[in-house]
Amino acid sequence: ETPPGQDDTERMLHFVGLMLDQGFIAVTSPYADPPSAPWCDGDRDAVLKRLRQEWEALDHYPTFLDLCWFHRR
């Protein structure tokens, strides 16, 4: 089944939204400084907004793992 959305960005945001709804939290890379820092205090809408902004700012075709990682609560 094709996920909802008109393009890859919308489909990615839909998928990440489902992950957040199931208890995952967006964090920085484990190689970042500081490592694995939570994004946006876990606020779902703020995470999706930041993910969209960073996705659109990249100069190559990204995957969401280029931007953030996930931990399970």
Side-chain angles (χ1 to χ4, degrees):
E1 180 177 323
T2 303
Q6 297 299 316
D7 59 23
D8 288 341
T9 303
E10 294 304 316
R11 288 188 282 275
M12 177 271 304
L13 291 170
H14 173 76
F15 180 76
V16 170
L18 293 173
M19 290 177 64
L20 297 172
D21 291 344
Q22 294 300 312
F24 287 88
I25 57 170
V27 297
T28 60
S29 164
Y31 310 108
D33 185 23
S36 303
W39 276 24
C40 311
D41 295 325
D43 179 86
R44 183 187 191 279
D45 293 334
V47 167
L48 294 176
K49 180 180 178 182
R50 178 177 170 181
L51 194 54
R52 176 189 295 277
Q53 290 170 338
E54 293 197 17
W55 176 283
E56 292 172 351
L58 287 175
D59 62 353
H60 65 280
Y61 188 76
T63 69
F64 59 82
L65 290 175
D66 288 325
L67 305 173
C68 68
W69 294 55
F70 296 90
H71 283 188
R72 180 92 169 155
R73 284 187 228 198

